[in-house]
Amino acid sequence: MSSPLLSVEDLSIAFKHESNTLLQVVNNISFDIHEQETLALVGESGSGKSVTALSILRLLPKSLVSYPTGDIVFEDQSLLHAPDKVLRQIRGNQISMIFQEPMVSLNPLHTVEKQLYEVLSLHRGMRANAARSEILQYLDRVGIKDPKNKLSALPHQLSGGERQRVMIAMAILTHPKLLIADEPTTALDVSVQAQIIQLLKELKNELNMSMLFISHNLGIVKKLADKVAVMQQGDIVEYNNKQRIFLRPEHAYTQTLLNSEPSGDPVPLPDTPGILLNVNHLDVEVTTKKRLLSSQKKKIVDNVGFTVHQGETVGIVGESGSGKTTTALAVLRLIKSHGDILFDSYPIQHLTGKKLLPFRSRIQVVFQDPFSSLNPRFNIEQIICEGLTTHKKLTKAEQEQALIDIMQEVGLDPNMRYRYPTEFSGGQRQRIAIARALILKPELLILDEPTSSLDHTIQKQIIHLLKSLQQKHQLSYLFISHDLALVYSMCHQVVVMKEGKIVEQGSREKIFYSAQNEYTKTLLSFLDKPLKPKNKTFIHADMVNNKDKNEAKVEEQVDWTDALLMGKSHRYVDN
């Protein structure tokens, strides 16, 4: 076999502290990437994946990082010991990188054209006029619609998928030999994820690239990788080809990762649940300026209606921009809307100020990104108890006891209540956000993508926590997510939204097994594997109509995928 394009040999990475001590975060790891090969580096946050990737291009600050052992060799050239002049020739030209969060990586003050031109100017010496045609070609290649009009756009004017595509275009403009993709699909919708993965596959073949793909999403890794290296606490605990890792994992941690996919069923509903929230004919309009003295109104939520029963979870799914979060903000009365919003049979649509305040404590929300929704200047006690000071009149001792009780309930150590958000992991911060909402003992909790930025192992813990809290307190959830497997595990009812409208809604079984709308079917097609109900047996529809059900010949143990391949209509019955 030919020598590898990139070879990481017995590499250790440590960070220097003020006391001149070293904290080692990566321990003697080794792996190779050959030409036109994709290696996936997987593991939880903090396992050392991104630190390893940044070390390949020597992007970690020199004053803080140390490499006690090992080397990184690219085309027989040591990168750890290469002078800055050599590194500048390799960075961007031969090794490019797509960073995890494009909104942070792209300059918010520069247009798309200016940022892409900077790459061509620095690495290929092109002038502006010649560069424009090249930029348009690559924006079109990565699937940007109407690229000419996007040249003058600023990053905030693009969708999440468009920003990620711009980052990919920026990375491949120089035709690199190795592309490092650090979590390039995190927090993207399933349809956009699928498009990005397909795009990376096509570009890899077209440009004969190799790829280091970093992700905690094993479903994506399965579709893209040739080899997989599993990292845990700075060690590579398993390293093999994709088939061996997914079919016969040897290490216990690899098995834990593979078993962390969302699973299970929603919590049982109460015997006679009443309606807690009833939304009818909900409209949300925004005013957009068309010309200097004229404006135009546009509906971003159009005639939306649904109900949430006591103890029930209703999921809202759809792509970015479909109106999911806007609908939730309207229910929370945080944005203006038209229509009927009845909470516990009481109309709250037109309530304001003090009249709305009693309902605020009964409807709480957990946002997508706990880091940005927690005040970094407050400690955890101040954050969790902030609502109590507004809505409840408690003594200091009663408030402290309520804080301790809720922290214990969500799995946090009460002794950590004097720490600040930066001192916690992503999973712990999400538990803090849940505790802040639940300390007021709400009846309805709106969960806006509460696990999208978390590793699957942490995600599983949060979902288990939400289910146990729901069962204990008979909570109702309005659950917004683009993760359909998660929705299947959590929700009793599902609402599918597209372009501000509901295109389909119904029970979990109806949506996942007999969807009627083409858009719903398209979303379901992006599931990594078809879902099938537990303890169910599939029966041909014509058999169900038979008067004597005892004569119906039941096809036992028919897999859902096989049922689809039969090309006949099916339904399922309880065993």
Side-chain angles (χ1 to χ4, degrees):
M1 183 181 284
S2 60
S3 59
L5 178 70
L6 178 81
S7 184
V8 173
E9 303 166 351
D10 196 35
L11 179 69
S12 296
I13 305 171
F15 287 102
K16 301 172 185 176
H17 283 243
E18 292 179 0
S19 57
N20 291 324
T21 58
L22 290 176
L23 175 65
Q24 193 156 306
V25 294
V26 172
N27 311 311
N28 306 93
I29 67 169
S30 299
F31 60 82
D32 296 329
I33 303 177
H34 289 81
E35 290 184 3
Q36 298 182 46
E37 184 178 61
T38 298
L39 170 70
L41 207 54
V42 303
E44 295 173 298
S45 295
S47 60
K49 308 186 302 293
S50 294
V51 169
T52 300
L54 291 169
S55 296
I56 291 172
L57 285 172
R58 297 267 302 278
L59 294 177
L60 296 170
K62 288 182 181 179
S63 59
L64 298 178
V65 70
S66 172
Y67 301 96
T69 65
D71 202 357
I72 301 170
V73 179
F74 178 75
E75 290 192 323
D76 300 324
Q77 166 79 54
S78 170
L79 298 182
L80 283 189
H81 304 99
D84 289 343
K85 184 178 179 180
V86 173
L87 285 173
R88 283 195 294 269
Q89 292 172 347
I90 292 174
R91 289 174 184 150
N93 288 319
Q94 298 182 62
I95 305 177
S96 286
M97 188 163 184
I98 305 169
F99 295 96
Q100 180 171 353
E101 180 45 70
M103 194 62 186
V104 175
S105 305
L106 295 172
N107 191 319
L109 302 177
H110 291 173
T111 64
V112 168
E113 182 176 20
K114 186 171 183 179
Q115 298 192 57
L116 292 174
Y117 170 64
E118 187 178 13
V119 175
L120 292 174
S121 175
L122 287 173
H123 294 284
R124 292 171 59 182
M126 294 183 72
R127 299 191 173 226
N129 290 337
R132 173 168 278 211
S133 62
E134 190 92 349
I135 290 169
L136 286 171
Q137 178 187 336
Y138 274 84
L139 287 178
D140 181 65
R141 182 65 199 85
V142 298
I144 295 286
K145 295 176 182 177
D146 196 11
K148 280 188 179 180
N149 288 332
K150 292 293 192 289
L151 290 178
S152 59
L154 294 168
H156 75 271
Q157 296 172 310
L158 304 175
S159 69
E162 286 175 328
R163 287 194 291 266
Q164 197 61 278
R165 289 168 191 272
V166 170
M167 285 292 298
I168 294 172
M170 192 180 294
I172 65 171
L173 274 171
T174 57
H175 300 178
K177 295 180 180 177
L178 175 65
L179 179 65
I180 302 173
D182 187 3
E183 299 276 12
T185 60
T186 297
L188 294 179
D189 302 318
V190 285
S191 55
V192 180
Q193 279 185 5
Q195 294 165 20
I196 296 297
I197 294 307
Q198 184 59 33
L199 173 62
L200 290 174
K201 281 182 177 180
E202 292 172 2
L203 291 171
K204 175 189 168 186
N205 294 331
E206 275 184 30
L207 303 176
N208 295 320
M209 283 192 312
S210 301
M211 197 183 309
L212 176 61
F213 186 82
I214 299 169
S215 182
H216 63 255
N217 190 324
L218 295 174
I220 292 174
V221 168
K222 193 186 298 184
K223 295 172 184 175
L224 196 62
D226 300 307
K227 293 191 300 188
V228 180
V230 182
M231 289 195 74
Q232 182 188 27
Q233 297 178 355
D235 296 307
I236 290 183
V237 296
E238 192 159 0
Y239 174 45
N240 217 316
N241 63 58
K242 174 179 65 177
Q243 290 77 15
R244 184 64 182 264
I245 292 288
F246 281 95
L247 294 177
R248 294 192 300 277
E250 296 178 359
H251 197 275
Y253 178 68
T254 310
Q255 294 168 8
T256 299
L257 286 180
L258 291 171
N259 292 328
S260 296
E261 295 294 320
S263 60
D265 296 308
V267 301
L269 283 169
D271 293 333
T272 55
I275 294 177
L276 183 64
L277 177 71
N278 193 2
V279 177
N280 291 304
H281 309 296
L282 186 71
D283 294 335
V284 178
E285 291 182 336
V286 293
T287 302
T288 56
K289 286 187 177 180
K290 210 173 182 185
R291 293 193 183 94
L292 185 61
L293 298 175
S294 66
S295 62
Q296 185 180 22
K297 288 187 175 181
K298 179 185 177 183
K299 281 188 180 181
I300 55 174
V301 170
D302 187 2
N303 197 30
V304 164
F306 58 86
T307 58
V308 182
H309 291 80
Q310 292 167 345
E312 182 181 46
T313 302
V314 175
I316 304 182
V317 302
E319 296 173 308
S320 293
S322 61
K324 306 187 301 292
T325 298
T326 304
T327 299
L329 293 175
V331 170
L332 286 163
R333 296 297 323 284
L334 295 177
I335 58 174
K336 290 183 179 180
S337 61
H338 303 283
D340 299 320
I341 304 173
L342 284 83
F343 183 78
D344 198 12
S345 302
Y346 196 93
I348 64 172
Q349 174 60 36
H350 302 293
L351 296 183
T352 57
K354 291 183 179 180
K355 290 182 179 180
L356 186 60
L357 197 60
F359 293 95
R360 292 282 189 212
S361 62
R362 299 174 68 186
I363 309 173
Q364 286 290 298
V365 61
V366 176
F367 292 102
Q368 178 173 353
D369 183 2
F371 191 70
S372 62
S373 65
L374 302 178
N375 192 328
R377 297 182 179 182
F378 283 9
N379 63 31
I380 301 311
E381 180 180 36
Q382 292 170 308
I383 288 171
I384 295 177
C385 292
E386 188 177 12
L388 283 181
T389 58
T390 303
H391 296 282
K392 309 283 185 182
K393 292 182 179 180
L394 301 178
T395 64
K396 189 174 181 180
E398 289 173 334
Q399 182 170 297
E400 186 172 18
Q401 189 58 50
L403 171 69
I404 292 170
D405 291 344
I406 198 64
M407 287 188 72
Q408 289 175 337
E409 193 164 19
V410 301
L412 291 170
D413 183 355
N415 293 323
M416 299 191 295
R417 62 186 182 273
Y418 303 114
R419 296 185 187 179
Y420 289 82
T422 53
E423 301 176 72
F424 292 87
S425 68
Q428 287 174 320
R429 284 196 290 264
Q430 198 59 284
R431 290 173 187 268
I432 292 165
I434 293 170
R436 176 178 61 180
L438 291 183
I439 198 168
L440 292 171
K441 298 181 179 177
E443 296 159 62
L444 174 65
L445 195 58
I446 296 177
L447 302 161
D448 189 2
E449 300 275 13
T451 61
S452 65
S453 59
L454 301 178
D455 302 321
H456 278 192
T457 48
I458 306 300
Q459 183 186 85
K460 190 173 183 178
Q461 295 170 18
I462 296 297
I463 292 304
H464 178 74
L465 170 64
L466 289 171
K467 285 184 177 181
S468 62
L469 291 170
Q470 183 176 33
Q471 195 157 21
K472 181 178 179 181
H473 301 292
Q474 289 296 294
L475 289 166
S476 299
Y477 292 150
L478 188 61
F479 189 81
I480 299 169
S481 181
H482 63 254
D483 188 332
L484 294 173
L486 201 55
V487 169
Y488 179 84
S489 169
M490 278 289 295
C491 301
H492 305 92
Q493 300 285 327
V494 181
V495 176
V496 184
M497 293 189 68
K498 180 185 181 184
E499 297 175 354
K501 297 181 179 180
I502 293 177
V503 296
E504 192 165 7
Q505 64 178 309
S507 68
R508 177 185 72 154
E509 287 75 16
K510 177 189 171 185
I511 296 297
F512 279 90
Y513 302 122
S514 57
Q516 301 299 309
N517 187 272
E518 288 303 318
Y519 177 70
T520 309
K521 292 177 182 178
T522 301
L523 288 180
L524 293 171
S525 70
F526 295 117
L527 280 166
D528 292 330
K529 56 184 178 181
L531 299 165
K532 65 177 180 178
K534 292 182 179 179
N535 302 321
K536 306 285 183 182
T537 302
F538 286 88
I539 302 176
H540 287 292
D542 54 356
M543 292 181 181
V544 174
N545 295 328
N546 194 318
K547 291 180 181 179
D548 188 356
K549 292 185 179 179
N550 293 325
E551 295 179 5
K553 295 180 180 179
V554 176
E555 295 176 11
E556 295 180 355
Q557 299 178 344
V558 177
D559 189 82
W560 177 240
T561 50
D562 294 333
L564 289 175
L565 291 172
M566 288 176 190
K568 299 181 180 181
S569 58
H570 289 73
R571 62 172 287 190
Y572 58 86
V573 295
D574 292 321
N575 280 344

